[in-house]
Amino acid sequence: IIMKDRFRLVCASYLIIRKGNQILLHLRQNSGFMDGFYSLVSGHLDGDESFSQCMVREAKEEAGIDVEVEDLTCVYVGNRCEQKNPVPIKERVDVYFEVAKWEGEIANMEPENCAGLEWFDFDNLPENIIPYVKNDLINIKNKKFYSETGY
């Protein structure tokens, strides 16, 4: 079967880890994208994995914690188009999960790409947070579950 190239989306999962009204953010470094800005524990799907499976993997890789798929709650989906990016990496789907429990102690497992993990009050996010992550967190706080931006 000959198939022509099909349109592709870049897909990523994000994890909201809470402690009371605080959420865990990590400070990006040496990644080539928004270094010096905060984001959530997150990552792109590697292929042949679901959004929740990706989140379980990234929680372990980035924060050193074990999370079970059944303990993840999907709280938000963002569909965004980054107009400045080239076509193959322009259109994206971001799925945000919250986790109520995990095993292990939270630790920075990728110090080469993360300058540190810090807790921030959900109502007082840092100025240097990735803008679309900040907007998505505000939407989550306001009980909005889906958005489309950049189209």
Side-chain angles (χ1 to χ4, degrees), residues 99-116:
V99 65
K101 65 179 184 173
W102 60 87
E103 290 190 21
E105 294 295 319
I106 293 171
N108 182 2
M109 303 304 290
E110 295 183 338
E112 66 281 359
N113 294 324
C114 176

Side-chain angles (χ1 to χ4, degrees), residues 2 5 9 15 19 32 43 48 58 65 83 89 98 102-103 109 117 136 138 142:
I2 298 173
D5 285 342
L9 289 167
L15 186 60
K19 184 169 63 174
D48 201 27
E58 291 290 349
I65 57 174
Q83 293 290 344
I89 60 169
E98 282 198 37
W102 60 87
E103 290 190 21
M109 303 304 290
L117 296 168
D136 293 346
I138 290 168
N142 292 326

Side-chain angles (χ1 to χ4, degrees), residues 73-143:
T73 301
C74 181
V75 294
Y76 187 78
V77 176
N79 179 204
R80 64 186 166 93
C81 185
E82 296 288 344
Q83 293 290 344
K84 68 185 181 312
N85 288 350
V87 169
I89 60 169
K90 185 162 91 168
E91 297 189 53
R92 298 167 175 268
V93 173
D94 300 320
V95 176
Y96 288 74
F97 294 95
E98 282 198 37
V99 65
K101 65 179 184 173
W102 60 87
E103 290 190 21
E105 294 295 319
I106 293 171
N108 182 2
M109 303 304 290
E110 295 183 338
E112 66 281 359
N113 294 324
C114 176
L117 296 168
E118 295 182 53
W119 294 98
F120 288 90
D121 192 284
F122 206 125
D123 299 318
N124 190 23
L125 298 173
E127 289 294 317
N128 59 328
I129 187 171
I130 295 175
Y132 74 83
V133 172
K134 181 178 182 178
N135 289 337
D136 293 346
L137 287 171
I138 290 168
N139 284 336
I140 292 166
K141 183 179 171 195
N142 292 326
K143 305 291 185 213

Side-chain angles (χ1 to χ4, degrees), residues 14-53:
Y14 296 77
L15 186 60
I16 298 171
I17 303 171
R18 289 187 191 238
K19 184 169 63 174
N21 198 46
Q22 294 190 318
I23 61 171
L24 185 71
L25 298 178
H26 76 96
L27 185 58
R28 299 178 62 85
Q29 70 176 3
N30 302 319
S31 72
F33 175 75
M34 301 296 289
D35 291 331
F37 283 76
Y38 285 96
S39 187
L40 297 163
V41 169
S42 61
H44 294 105
L45 275 68
D46 279 348
D48 201 27
E49 70 180 349
S50 67
F51 283 95
S52 58
Q53 290 167 334

Side-chain angles (χ1 to χ4, degrees), residues 15 52 55-56 67-74 97-99:
L15 186 60
S52 58
M55 200 69 275
V56 167
V67 172
E68 300 294 331
V69 168
E70 57 268 14
D71 294 325
L72 295 170
T73 301
C74 181
F97 294 95
E98 282 198 37
V99 65

